[in-house]
Structure formats: C-alpha cells, structure tokens
Amino acid sequence: MELLWEIAGWTGAALILSAYLSVSMGWLKAGRRFQIANLIGACTFIANGALHEAWPSVVTNIAWFLISAVALLRMRSQNAPLAVDEEPQLQFPGVPDTTGQIAVVEAVTAAVHGDVEGRAAACQASLRETHAAGPVRA
C-alpha cells in the first residue's frame, strides 16, 4: 500500500512540473488543463505528505489545491468556452508571443494618426508619383 502512495507522490510531482514547464515554455496556456494538472498533483502530494507526516508539504499543497480549485470555479462561472484553451498552439519555445503587443501598437497608431489606411494609400500614391517623375537631379 505504501508503494501506491509513493507512485501517487511521484505522479503528482510529474504533473505539477510538466504543467509549469509547459506554461513557462509557451506550449500551453495557463487555462483549464494547467489548473487541472495542478489540482490533481496537489491532491497526490497531500496524500503522500500525510503518509510521511510531512506537514509543511501537506499545508503548502492544500493551499496549491485551493488556488487551482478557485481558479477552475472562476473559469467555470465566467462561462469561458472550452475551445479557448483547447486549441493547438503554434508558439515556439523561447519566442515571445507578441500578438497583444501588435494589437496595442495598431490601436495607438490609429488613435494618433487617425485614418491609417487613408494615410497609407496617400503615401503609396506619393511614392508612385515620385518614381514616375524620374530621378531628382541636383
């Protein structure tokens, strides 16, 4: 029976560490899968720690469990669609995701410069006129 609790403890360690690694490397978003892995890992650590009377570990993992449980309940109450964090990601390790930053830059550019598409078209037309007139001679 003790072997079962040891296996549970090592399984919990593998779950928590692989979830943390996956989120840190950008392979997984910190969504439902991440929280479920943390929740299950914490449960197995609680059982293993109680068996070995490692009370600081038990208390820490009870907190870890509660954090994951509350996060999952909040996700559920917000009615977030399951497909959001179930989609495969094309994020490569070590390459930052700049999607949000690009959206911010576009929003700021539009706010500062107004009609960005109109200005771009005017700029391209001006370039065409300059090239059509030929080289400038001094």
Side-chain angles (χ1 to χ4, degrees):
M1 185 67 167
E2 190 172 324
L3 177 64
L4 179 65
W5 295 116
E6 290 300 318
I7 292 171
W10 285 107
T11 302
L15 276 170
I16 289 174
L17 288 173
S18 62
Y20 183 67
L21 174 70
S22 296
V23 168
S24 297
M25 294 293 115
W27 303 331
L28 180 70
K29 288 185 179 177
R32 282 185 176 84
R33 287 190 225 167
F34 175 72
Q35 297 299 342
I36 289 169
N38 280 312
L39 187 98
I40 294 169
C43 287
T44 60
F45 269 155
I46 291 167
N48 184 276
L51 175 76
H52 293 290
E53 297 180 2
W55 303 119
S57 177
V58 170
V59 170
T60 301
N61 283 289
I62 288 172
W64 199 269
F65 169 84
L66 290 173
I67 291 167
S68 295
V70 168
L72 283 167
L73 289 173
R74 289 179 74 189
M75 286 178 196
R76 184 176 179 195
S77 69
Q78 292 173 352
N79 292 326
L82 287 175
V84 170
D85 50 283
E86 302 298 329
E87 294 175 0
Q89 299 178 15
L90 297 176
Q91 182 65 34
F92 296 100
V95 178
D97 179 12
T98 59
T99 308
Q101 294 169 343
I102 292 170
V104 170
V105 168
E106 289 174 350
V108 169
T109 302
V112 170
H113 298 292
D115 181 18
V116 175
E117 291 175 3
R119 288 181 178 269
C123 182
Q124 288 175 352
S126 172
L127 286 173
R128 275 188 236 117
E129 290 172 10
T130 303
H131 288 299
V136 177
R137 299 186 197 267

